[in-house]
Amino acid sequence: MFDLYREGSSFLHRLPPGVKLLSLAICGTVLFLLDSIVIMLAFLVTTVGLYLAVGFSLRTAWAQLRPAAWILAILFVAQVVLNSWETAVFIIARFAGLLLLAGLLTLTTRASDMIEAMERGFWVLRYVGVSPAKVSLALSLALRFIPVLATVTNEVREAQKVRGLDRSIIAVAIPVVVRMLRMSDDISDAIDARGYAPR
């Protein structure tokens, strides 16, 4: 359920998971240091181009954004009202680009490969008494939960729309939180049932 990986033989599929994770971290950091709207739009277009380059369709790219579209729309309107349309475009391009890039990572990397790569990268944590396996599992689950959270939010919003409550933040947020907590319990039980005890 949580492994969104799609089989393929593109250069991104073959790229080591560690390189992809490091690239995502660097892109995320650099993008928050830049303030050029042209660069943000170029980044967004380039990310969409990467989807096409590895054989995914525009529909697949849109599927990564669709669950968060209403959040981006609210953010856009708020920025237009509070700041300017240029700022709104800048912020939406940055968040949409990062969401697409994170989605591309999960679509081209198996969950098991990602956990192994993180565990190798965090080996130094052993010297301060922290288990790299536990840290890598937590980060991997967090990364996987981003699209899952967006999907759950969209499902709840559609269900509340039938009841005429889709514009109520509380009516959408509470069911989402309850479902995510239940999902977390299920994952925790599944991990315990398998006797997973990383060192």
Side-chain angles (χ1 to χ4, degrees):
M1 177 180 179
F2 297 104
D3 197 345
L4 305 176
Y5 175 76
R6 292 191 183 184
E7 290 288 345
S9 58
S10 70
F11 67 98
L12 274 181
H13 285 85
R14 298 193 302 272
L15 203 63
V19 174
K20 287 187 274 190
L21 284 166
L22 187 60
S23 300
L24 177 62
I26 292 173
C27 280
T29 303
V30 171
L31 286 177
F32 275 89
L33 296 176
L34 299 174
D35 59 357
S36 169
I37 189 172
V38 175
I39 293 177
M40 288 304 153
L41 290 174
F43 167 71
L44 181 60
V45 172
T46 302
T47 306
V48 173
L50 281 175
Y51 274 78
L52 301 177
V54 299
F56 296 142
S57 64
L58 290 176
R59 178 175 293 184
T60 301
W62 169 241
Q64 311 306 309
L65 289 178
R66 186 174 53 197
W70 66 281
I71 298 175
L72 295 176
I74 292 174
L75 191 60
F76 181 84
V77 172
Q79 288 299 322
V80 170
V81 173
L82 298 174
N83 293 300
S84 64
W85 69 268
E86 292 93 344
T87 302
V89 171
F90 173 81
I91 290 175
I92 296 304
R94 181 166 61 188
F95 278 108
L98 285 174
L99 280 175
L100 286 172
L101 204 58
L104 195 57
L105 172 67
T106 59
L107 289 170
T108 59
T109 311
R110 289 187 175 85
S112 56
D113 294 339
M114 197 180 305
I115 292 174
E116 287 179 9
M118 288 184 182
E119 191 172 340
R120 287 196 298 272
F122 293 139
W123 63 270
V124 70
L125 294 178
R126 290 187 188 281
Y127 295 104
V128 293
V130 178
S131 169
K134 289 182 179 178
V135 174
S136 61
L137 178 62
L139 288 176
S140 178
L141 286 175
L143 201 58
R144 295 287 171 184
F145 258 79
I146 292 173
V148 173
L149 174 61
T151 302
V152 169
T153 302
N154 193 48
E155 290 174 355
V156 170
R157 188 167 173 269
E158 289 297 322
Q160 298 294 45
K161 189 175 182 180
V162 177
R163 303 180 179 93
L165 298 173
D166 57 312
R167 295 182 184 278
S168 170
I169 294 177
I170 294 176
V172 173
I174 291 178
V176 169
V177 171
V178 170
R179 283 187 61 177
M180 295 307 292
L181 289 176
R182 286 178 180 171
M183 205 175 289
S184 300
D185 284 340
D186 291 342
I187 292 173
S188 177
D189 291 342
I191 292 174
D192 289 340
R194 287 166 174 76
Y196 183 69
R199 296 180 179 176

